[in-house]
Amino acid sequence: MSRGVRRAGAGQGAAAAVQLLVTLSFLPSVVEAQVTGVLDDCLCDIDSIDNFNTFKIFPKIKKLQERDYFRYYKVNLKRPCPFWAEDGHCSIKDCHVEPCPESKIPVGIKAGSSNKYLKVANNTKELEDCEQANKLGAINSTLSNQSKEAFIDWARYDDSQDHFCELDDERSPAAQYVDLLLNPERYTGYKGPSAWRVWNSIYEENCFKPRSVYRPLNPLAPSRGEDDGESFYTWLEGLCLEKRVFYKLISGLHASINLHLCANYLLEETWGKPSWGPNMKEFKRRFDPVETKGEGPRRLKNLYFLYLIELRALSKVAPYFERSIVDLYTGNVEEDADTKTLLLNIFQDTKSFPMHFDEKSMFAGDKKGAKSLKEEFRLHFKNISRIMDCVGCDKCRLWGKLQTQGLGTALKILFSEKEIQKLPENSPSKGFQLTRQEIVALLNAFGRLSTSIRELQNFKVLLQHSAIVYKKGQLF
């Protein structure tokens, strides 16, 4: 190699190093500068949410998720996709979901009734019956006649409700309990056309968007030249509040899921032992303002918006759980009491937050138009919950279904204020009811959002640290 070529190469290498240094130096400040301030469509700022989540919510919700009542989730991962022949697959073995053996399920949970958290439901013969069941799927055959009648009654009630989600039939033999602590949400390698089709169907067919308007960074959309998404956001700002909120909820959920994958990435696998941790390259690919042409920070702001919505739902549903009749039943009397105390403590914190989203600003027009819009809103979200059965990766499907159901439950709560206010203190209510599946999904979904915001803070620190280390390396 000639001396001139070597000099040119050295010069290019130095220029690249300087460019990388500049990028690393400014990236943390750019991310912080763009993911800050007051959120659109509400009066809350991001710094207040960060502080509230870090010091009040995150430690408690993490502890709550470890309790038996909230760690076991019953789900049907074998429901066929209702829209297309599923063709996805996991690229690593960690996508597989391990169902929980019956012997590990607390007797009070596996007893069968989806409303088993009520004290009046905890004194029936079915507890003894279900201890004799060989499989969790064989619930129906172990129920007393009285319990079967109660099932029919509750099923009739559930069918009459304005559900925002397609609920799994917990009595189906295909529904199994999953220990969420043993099946954490993390990177699985599920990507490509199958994953794109799921998200594309969600955004393109269910977010009130005409096909002539294209989402930024949509890999399935035709090239839009130098648009950079401006036409999309011009269209979005022209929508009514309710439809803007809908898009932000879905975008925020998508951002939250992506954050979990970046924070729990398969870094390496040595001798069959995987090493999981934060992947800064993956984080920058998904959220860096430069690499995403400004889209990343917008998505992260939608994560905060979604957090506010679910936080508001928890504050509104608190009276439901504060009643003495509600017992988060697993069969362990002492732990059940501690779990309820912790849950009520979290509710008190949610009610103390000073800048809640005002859900009364939604569906506030003329009654007929508002009712029609609310029904359209509900059906679109319910359709998204059905799309979750099209996810090709079991672990992705598990957490997608849980978080979608959690958000659907939050929406159900927000638009049931009158029914919640009329709840009787010492008897079950037919006006508003939550199944155990909905309760577990609601709190775990909010726990995921709380964790996402905490992980975002961790990534900011890691980016700052990497920039400092790189600068030091250039000085010596």
Side-chain angles (χ1 to χ4, degrees):
M1 183 183 292
S2 69
R3 184 177 301 175
V5 173
R6 285 198 300 270
R7 285 178 177 172
Q12 292 173 354
V18 170
Q19 181 60 44
L20 179 60
L21 174 59
V22 170
T23 301
L24 286 171
S25 299
F26 284 100
L27 181 59
S29 59
V30 169
V31 171
E32 290 186 34
Q34 296 199 23
V35 188
T36 189
V38 177
L39 294 172
D40 295 334
D41 292 321
C42 61
L43 299 175
C44 183
D45 66 280
I46 286 175
D47 288 343
S48 296
I49 297 175
D50 281 337
N51 290 331
F52 180 76
N53 183 66
T54 298
F55 297 108
K56 283 200 169 186
I57 294 296
F58 179 72
K60 295 177 183 177
I61 198 73
K62 188 173 184 296
K63 187 177 179 182
L64 186 75
Q65 290 174 285
E66 295 171 355
R67 297 298 177 92
D68 281 354
Y69 187 88
F70 290 98
R71 68 183 288 182
Y72 298 107
Y73 179 63
K74 197 168 190 182
V75 62
N76 184 354
L77 297 176
K78 298 178 181 179
R79 287 178 62 168
C81 172
F83 302 109
W84 60 78
E86 199 285 308
D87 56 359
H89 64 276
C90 299
S91 65
I92 59 177
K93 65 179 183 297
D94 295 277
C95 176
H96 177 64
V97 172
E98 280 294 333
C100 194
E102 181 190 358
S103 59
K104 298 290 185 180
I105 305 295
V107 63
I109 292 178
K110 69 182 180 181
S113 174
S114 58
N115 295 283
K116 185 54 66 177
Y117 58 87
L118 290 178
K119 284 184 177 180
V120 294
N122 293 334
N123 298 318
T124 66
K125 185 177 179 292
E126 63 187 339
L127 279 180
E128 297 176 5
D129 292 340
C130 284
E131 287 184 88
Q132 307 301 320
N134 291 322
K135 295 181 180 180
L136 288 174
I139 290 174
N140 283 347
S141 63
T142 67
L143 298 177
S144 65
N145 289 333
Q146 181 181 0
S147 298
K148 289 178 181 177
E149 291 173 5
F151 258 136
I152 295 172
D153 187 34
W154 287 120
R156 195 179 292 124
Y157 160 80
D158 285 338
D159 290 341
S160 69
Q161 293 307 290
D162 289 337
H163 285 300
F164 282 79
C165 283
E166 184 82 16
L167 301 179
D168 283 346
D169 182 358
E170 294 187 65
R171 296 165 289 172
S172 168
Q176 294 179 302
Y177 282 101
V178 172
D179 186 337
L180 298 175
L181 298 183
L182 297 181
N183 293 277
E185 183 181 22
R186 57 192 179 193
Y187 178 79
T188 65
Y190 178 61
K191 56 186 177 182
S194 177
W196 293 342
R197 180 157 62 169
V198 168
W199 284 110
N200 201 61
S201 178
I202 289 172
Y203 283 113
E204 299 298 316
E205 300 170 16
N206 295 280
C207 285
F208 304 97
K209 189 182 70 61
R211 293 191 178 276
S212 59
V213 177
Y214 294 94
R215 284 184 300 117
L217 307 182
N218 179 3
L220 301 183
S223 173
R224 304 300 292 172
E226 300 298 319
D227 188 324
D228 287 349
E230 289 307 314
S231 61
F232 173 82
Y233 284 101
T234 299
W235 163 81
L236 186 65
E237 289 307 310
L239 292 179
C240 64
L241 171 64
E242 292 81 3
K243 293 181 179 180
R244 285 201 310 273
V245 166
F246 191 98
Y247 172 79
K248 289 179 180 181
L249 295 181
I250 301 305
S251 175
L253 176 61
H254 197 179
S256 179
I257 291 171
N258 281 335
L259 258 173
H260 300 147
L261 306 188
C262 295
N264 293 281
Y265 202 90
L266 181 59
L267 302 178
E268 62 179 353
E269 188 165 3
T270 307
W271 301 103
K273 294 183 177 181
S275 174
W276 303 89
N279 186 321
M280 287 192 290
K281 182 178 179 181
E282 188 69 18
F283 175 81
K284 288 187 282 186
R285 185 180 75 81
R286 295 175 186 265
F287 297 109
D288 170 36
V290 177
E291 291 196 33
T292 64
K293 300 181 180 180
E295 179 67 11
R298 281 168 163 156
R299 294 173 177 176
L300 292 173
K301 283 188 174 183
N302 290 336
L303 161 65
Y304 282 92
F305 186 82
L306 173 58
Y307 181 93
L308 276 185
I309 292 292
E310 295 199 12
L311 180 72
R312 178 59 167 169
L314 292 182
S315 71
K316 300 292 283 187
V317 82
Y320 180 83
F321 290 93
E322 289 168 351
R323 299 176 300 156
S324 59
I325 192 176
V326 175
D327 179 23
L328 303 177
Y329 186 74
T330 68
N332 184 328
V333 177
E334 184 175 344
E335 180 175 312
D336 292 348
D338 289 343
T339 300
K340 183 172 181 181
T341 298
L342 178 58
L343 179 62
L344 294 182
N345 193 266
I346 292 172
F347 285 144
Q348 285 301 118
D349 286 337
T350 65
K351 289 192 285 187
S352 72
F353 187 71
M355 292 173 281
H356 275 296
F357 175 78
D358 181 12
E359 73 282 358
K360 292 181 180 178
S361 60
M362 295 177 65
F363 309 111
D366 68 279
K367 289 186 177 181
K368 185 176 180 180
K371 184 177 180 181
S372 175
L373 181 59
K374 182 179 178 181
E375 179 64 5
E376 191 179 7
F377 190 101
R378 184 185 73 84
L379 291 177
H380 277 237
F381 193 86
K382 191 170 185 178
N383 208 46
I384 289 174
S385 73
R386 298 178 69 206
I387 294 174
M388 289 300 155
D389 283 318
C390 300
V391 175
C393 160
D394 281 352
K395 191 165 286 184
C396 306
R397 183 183 295 201
L398 164 67
W399 286 101
K401 285 169 74 81
L402 181 143
Q403 290 172 87
T404 304
Q405 184 179 22
L407 175 53
T409 304
L411 294 173
K412 172 181 170 180
I413 292 166
L414 288 179
F415 303 126
S416 301
E417 183 177 20
K418 292 181 180 179
E419 290 79 5
I420 293 174
Q421 290 175 344
K422 296 177 182 177
L423 289 170
E425 173 62 31
N426 297 308
S427 62
S429 168
K430 297 296 179 68
F432 178 83
Q433 189 74 295
L434 293 176
T435 67
R436 180 184 173 276
Q437 189 185 39
E438 288 175 310
I439 295 170
V440 173
L442 174 69
L443 273 300
N444 274 285
F446 183 68
R448 293 278 74 204
L449 297 178
S450 177
T451 300
S452 289
I453 289 176
R454 193 74 187 93
E455 286 168 344
L456 179 56
Q457 309 314 307
N458 292 339
F459 271 114
K460 288 180 180 178
V461 172
L462 289 173
L463 289 168
Q464 290 169 343
H465 178 71
S466 66
I468 293 171
V469 170
Y470 189 86
K471 285 180 182 177
K472 288 182 178 180
Q474 297 304 299
L475 294 176
F476 296 100

